Amino acid sequence: EIVMTQSPATLSVSPGERATLSCRASQSVSSNLAWYQQKPGQAPRLLIYDAIRATGIPARFSGSGSGTEFTLTISSLQSEDFAVYYCQQYSTWPSWTFGQGTKVEIK
Amino acid sequence: EMQLVESGGGLVQPGGSLRLSCAASGFPFSGYFMTWVRQAPGKGPEWVANIKQDGSEKYYMDSVKGRFTISRDNAKNSLFLQMNSLRAEDTAVYYCARGRGWLDPWGQGTLVTVSS
């Protein structure tokens, strides 16, 4: 099983600042990686897949990386962006795995 | 608008059974792989099972093989998860989601609690 490790566990950021979240895979997943945002009491929402923004996702969200190292960047944090973010690999069909999450909180 | 709505969760004793349902709307349900994902309290999501468009292929995580069965009714735009021999470690919010790689959209989830 591919293990996905996210860092940091918690990221404290001021509104308007840049946030950089990391996700590392225990073996190469090529570009088969997605990012999700989850707010309390809600389902995860797809943000990025294959480094492409999903429909309706603001341009301040961007994803990069391939192989084992990936980054989600939020260029200028808005109040609605404070949430937990998960990465997911879908390289090993059909057994996909998720990271344990990074909580972005207000500094 | 694409929408997925789960139902059927609840409190069940260890060894018991539950059947989860997911009603889909706003997209051609029969044209998509569908997936069940669960999330235990305070944890990341965990893939549980998925099913091909016509139901001919089904895949399960190891810990639920032989206990859970995924199925679908394309005529009724519905996805199901029959869960038998439930264990405490199956306690989680269960989500249905569309896709066979990235998942979009997700339903709002239904809580399954396995406890005596």
Side-chain angles (χ1 to χ4, degrees), chain B residues 41-67:
Chain B
K43 303 292 186 182
E46 180 178 52
W47 167 75
V48 175
N50 47 27
I51 185 168
K52 193 176 178 180
Q53 288 91 326
D54 62 0
S56 62
E57 296 178 22
K58 303 176 184 181
Y59 304 93
Y60 301 92
M61 65 182 300
D62 286 346
S63 65
V64 308
K65 283 180 184 174
R67 301 189 297 124

Side-chain angles (χ1 to χ4, degrees), chain B residues 7-75:
Chain B
S7 60
L11 174 63
V12 61
Q13 292 187 340
S17 298
L18 278 177
R19 187 185 194 225
L20 305 184
S21 299
C22 170
S25 60
F27 66 95
F29 178 75
S30 62
Y32 288 89
F33 255 88
M34 294 297 296
T35 296
W36 286 100
V37 176
R38 69 186 182 185
Q39 188 172 27
K43 303 292 186 182
E46 180 178 52
W47 167 75
V48 175
N50 47 27
I51 185 168
K52 193 176 178 180
Q53 288 91 326
D54 62 0
S56 62
E57 296 178 22
K58 303 176 184 181
Y59 304 93
Y60 301 92
M61 65 182 300
D62 286 346
S63 65
V64 308
K65 283 180 184 174
R67 301 189 297 124
F68 289 12
T69 302
I70 189 172
S71 61
R72 64 192 295 163
D73 183 339
N74 287 340

